[in-house]
């Protein structure tokens, strides 16, 4: 066997004489090909190592900086059927009448360019990197260039590809519309293929009835056979929010009416999602006023910076133990 050349850990690769490629402009090549920087090493052992790390490094809050960050999280993790119109920086390209974000698309397509040129982008698909924003932006970019009448297939987005924050108009509102089913997939279901019709039927059967509250931001009521729930995505820093919830919980001020109970929280894409159990029969309209009143109590608790009492610390421990991380 050939003797391996000794290497110093962490040393920068040496470029061949005359090489003009700098670290910020090394093109992507095959993992086993010579690195374009001229070091003489394979790409995967040279600049490809940093590129691979950039692709897999997890971005904790991929939607941070986007209008409606909390609703982006809700549509990604909690809401079965919803859409939201997206506004691009610089306006829509020629031949693209609209761009719409959808929770799910038929056949789990990442995106779809309809016959009329409009674009649908699916939010709840698996992604290939640690940056959901970059993956979705890459899907959107592909969809804008796809021929009408075709879906977009997934791929690994380049580490230096733009993110949603680069492509979307950050001054435009983000206004989700919750649907009872997935009929928004096709303008005319009678013309859909048998495969799409079957996918639509399966999706409708699995959809949990969900309603977005009108009086507070990013709170979603849902109905299940055993009981109903309210799941509320909140923008506050996690430790500060848990302290505030603990203060209210210790004072027995976290309920949303008779028979309701704060049961814990999710952690999703860097944000906390408190969850309440609601008795069967309690509708979204029934919790509109209690939710608005709770928002006022929470604002007061968030403003309190005094140390937690013993009862509040115990309440906080209980809330923390019941917290589940979704992503």
């Amino acid at each position: 066997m050939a003797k391996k050349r000794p290497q110093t850990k962490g040393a920068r690769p040496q470029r061949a004489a005359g090489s003009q490629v700098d670290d910020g402009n090394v093109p992507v090549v095959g993992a086993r090909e010579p690195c374009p920087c001229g070091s003489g090493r394979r790409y995967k052992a040279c600049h490809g190592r940093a590129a691979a790390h950039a692709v897999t490094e997890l971005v904790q809050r991929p939607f941070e900086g986007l209008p409606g960050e909390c609703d982006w999280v809700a549509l990604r993790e909690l809401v079965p059927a919803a859409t939201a119109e997206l506004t691009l920086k610089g306006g829509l390209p020629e031949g693209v009448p609209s761009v719409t974000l959808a929770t799910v698309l038929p056949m789990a397509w990442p995106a779809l360019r309809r016959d009329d040129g409009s674009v649908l982008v699916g939010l709840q698909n698996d992604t290939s990197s640690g940056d959901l924003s970059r993956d979705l932006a890459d899907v959107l970019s592909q969809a804008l260039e796809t021929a009408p009448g075709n879906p977009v297939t997934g791929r690994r987005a380049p580490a230096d590809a733009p993110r949603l924050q680069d492509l979307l108009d950050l001054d435009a509102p983000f206004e989700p519309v919750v649907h009872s089913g997935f009929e928004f997939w096709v303008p005319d279901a009678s013309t859909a293929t048998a495969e799409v019709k079957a996918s639509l039927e399966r999706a409708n059967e699995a959809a949990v009835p969900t309603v977005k509250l009108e009086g507070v931001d990013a709170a979603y009521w849902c109905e299940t056979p055993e009981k109903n729930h309210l799941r509320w995505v909140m923008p506050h820093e996690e430790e500060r929010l848990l302290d505030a919830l603990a203060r209210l919980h210790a004072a027995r001020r976290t309920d949303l009416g008779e028979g309701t109970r704060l049961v814990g929280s999710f952690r999703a894409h860097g944000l906390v999602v408190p969850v309440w159990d609601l008795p069967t029969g309690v509708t979204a309209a029934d919790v509109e006023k209690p939710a608005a009143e709770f928002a006022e109590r929470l604002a007061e608790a968030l403003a309190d910076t005094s140390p937690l009492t013993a009862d509040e610390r115990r309440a906080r421990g209980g809330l923390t133990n019941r917290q589940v991380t979704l992503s």
Side-chain angles (χ1 to χ4, degrees):
M1 295 178 63
K3 187 176 181 180
K4 291 185 178 180
R5 181 175 59 189
Q7 297 176 0
T8 302
K9 185 176 181 180
R12 295 174 61 85
Q14 299 298 312
R15 300 188 181 92
S19 173
Q20 299 298 314
V21 179
D22 60 60
D23 286 348
N25 295 290
V26 177
V28 176
V29 297
R32 300 178 67 83
E33 294 181 40
C35 187
C37 76
S39 66
R41 302 168 66 189
R42 288 178 178 173
Y43 179 69
K44 69 176 183 179
C46 192
H47 281 86
R49 182 178 299 168
H53 177 72
V55 168
T56 58
E57 186 176 12
L58 179 64
V59 175
Q60 297 289 344
R61 289 179 62 177
F63 306 120
E64 185 176 14
L66 292 175
E69 178 188 6
C70 294
D71 284 311
W72 277 89
V73 172
L75 267 58
R76 166 71 182 184
E77 299 295 342
L78 307 175
V79 182
T83 56
E85 296 301 310
L86 299 180
T87 304
L88 306 186
K89 287 182 179 178
L92 294 168
E94 184 178 357
V96 180
S98 64
V99 175
T100 303
L101 182 75
T103 47
V104 180
L105 292 179
M107 318 305 299
W109 289 326
L112 171 66
R113 183 86 183 271
R114 283 175 164 166
D115 291 336
D116 66 354
S118 61
V119 167
L120 288 175
V121 177
L123 181 57
Q124 294 182 8
N125 291 318
D126 292 335
T127 57
S128 58
S129 81
D131 187 351
L132 179 57
S133 177
R134 194 179 310 283
D135 290 333
L136 288 169
D138 185 61
V139 167
L140 171 57
S141 297
Q142 290 184 74
L144 294 173
E145 298 177 356
T146 296
N150 291 282
V152 172
T153 57
R155 69 178 185 185
R156 171 166 288 186
D160 59 349
R163 308 177 74 237
L164 288 172
Q165 289 82 347
D166 302 315
L167 300 184
L168 301 183
D169 182 349
L170 302 185
D171 293 324
F174 183 75
E175 299 175 344
V177 177
V178 178
H179 303 275
S180 59
F182 295 88
E183 282 72 22
F184 63 84
W185 280 354
V186 287
D188 183 0
S190 64
T191 63
T193 65
E195 196 174 29
V196 170
K197 287 181 180 178
S199 183
L200 175 61
E201 184 177 345
R202 289 193 300 270
N204 281 339
E205 289 176 354
V208 174
T210 301
V211 176
K212 186 180 189 298
L213 297 196
E214 297 179 358
V216 295
D217 292 334
Y220 291 81
W221 170 95
C222 68
E223 180 182 27
T224 63
E226 295 80 19
K227 61 187 69 175
N228 299 341
H229 304 279
L230 183 73
R231 299 177 292 189
W232 192 341
V233 187
M234 296 187 171
H236 316 291
E237 188 273 328
E238 180 173 340
E239 297 302 315
R240 183 165 158 254
L241 175 59
L242 289 175
D243 281 352
L245 291 173
R247 295 181 195 279
L248 295 176
H249 203 56
R252 295 180 172 82
R253 301 182 68 200
T254 54
D255 68 276
L256 299 176
E258 184 177 355
T260 67
R261 185 167 68 98
L262 175 65
V263 293
S265 63
F266 299 121
R267 183 191 292 111
H269 304 291
L271 298 181
V272 176
V273 188
V275 178
W276 283 262
D277 278 352
L278 311 173
T280 299
V282 172
T283 67
D286 294 332
V287 293
E288 284 281 5
K289 182 179 179 181
E293 293 171 345
F294 177 82
E296 294 179 358
R297 298 197 297 272
L298 180 62
E300 294 175 1
L302 287 166
D304 187 348
T305 58
S306 62
L308 297 180
T309 66
D311 286 345
E312 291 167 349
R313 289 196 299 272
R314 282 192 290 271
R316 194 187 195 282
L319 290 170
T320 302
N321 290 338
R322 296 194 298 273
Q323 191 175 54
V324 176
T325 300
L326 296 182
S327 55

